[in-house]
Amino acid sequence: MAETVRYLGQALERDPSDADALFFQGIALTAAGQIEEGLAAGRRFLEIDPLSPMAGVLFNSAHWFAGRPAEGLREHEHGLVLDPENPIIHWSLGYTYALLGQRDRARQRADWMRARVPQMPYTVQLVSLVEALEGRHTEALATLATLPALDFDGHITFHLSESYAMAGDVATGLQLLEHGI
């Protein structure tokens, strides 16, 4: 994580308006537990490129880890206006709605993903999370079982661990969380 942040910082020294470097730096900072720095990267991204649909995603997702998922939601939702076919925006909005207890809105995003990108691991994660939140644990576990393997990067592994735990399979959830870390 430290190397990633350092290299992205070097890229931003060369080009402070590099939206990709800002996005990934914000993600890396947040993942490393440097929440305020991640939020600052999200703010800078919004200032530098307010028409990037991913700027709102970064800004709002940093707020997830700050325990304030409602903050930045307006900017995040605006990203969907800018890029209505982007599955990552649909996933991250659905996840935000789930964090906020807005199951109907989370379900809408999960249904959109299931209809358009059914095999995407993020689709399986969001659909199963919503099913678990709705108390349909058996369905959530069946949805998770559609993944051919559980060998993903740390980010999706972390989120899959949440779905397993919420569906009642805490042992697999903890195992995945450990693997993701």
Side-chain angles (χ1 to χ4, degrees):
M1 216 46 85
E3 261 184 60
T4 299
V5 171
R6 186 174 67 249
Y7 289 135
L8 290 167
Q10 290 171 358
L12 289 166
E13 286 174 10
R14 291 180 179 91
D15 181 3
S17 65
D18 184 330
D20 289 332
L22 265 173
F23 179 79
F24 288 109
Q25 184 187 53
I27 294 294
L29 286 164
T30 302
Q34 297 180 29
I35 307 303
E36 291 306 316
E37 292 84 352
L39 288 167
R43 277 188 219 93
R44 280 194 311 277
F45 192 178
L46 283 167
E47 291 166 5
I48 288 169
D49 193 356
L51 295 179
S52 170
M54 297 307 288
V57 172
L58 173 61
F59 187 59
N60 186 224
S61 65
H63 282 93
W64 299 343
F65 297 97
R68 305 184 306 262
E71 292 182 36
L73 182 58
R74 182 177 53 85
E75 292 86 352
H76 196 161
E77 289 174 331
H78 184 66
L80 194 60
V81 172
L82 296 170
D83 191 0
E85 296 300 313
N86 185 320
I88 293 300
I89 298 174
H90 282 273
W91 170 79
S92 56
L93 273 173
Y95 184 77
T96 302
Y97 296 143
L99 289 174
L100 293 170
Q102 298 176 11
R103 286 189 225 146
D104 290 342
R105 295 178 87 187
R107 166 61 61 198
Q108 288 174 340
R109 300 285 60 86
D111 289 346
W112 184 94
M113 292 192 70
R114 183 179 264 170
R116 288 173 179 80
V117 287
Q119 298 305 313
M120 189 176 188
Y122 286 97
T123 301
V124 172
Q125 188 277 330
L126 183 59
V127 169
S128 62
L129 180 64
V130 171
E131 289 169 342
L133 289 171
E134 293 173 343
R136 297 182 293 130
H137 298 165
T138 302
E139 288 177 51
L141 292 171
T143 297
L144 287 162
T146 66
L147 289 172
L150 293 176
D151 190 26
F152 299 104
D153 67 35
H155 184 257
I156 187 62
T157 300
F158 163 75
H159 289 291
L160 287 167
S161 75
E162 294 174 301
S163 292
Y164 272 98
M166 291 299 296
D169 186 349
V170 176
T172 300
L174 289 172
Q175 182 180 34
L176 286 172
L177 182 59
E178 184 176 326
H179 177 70
I181 293 170

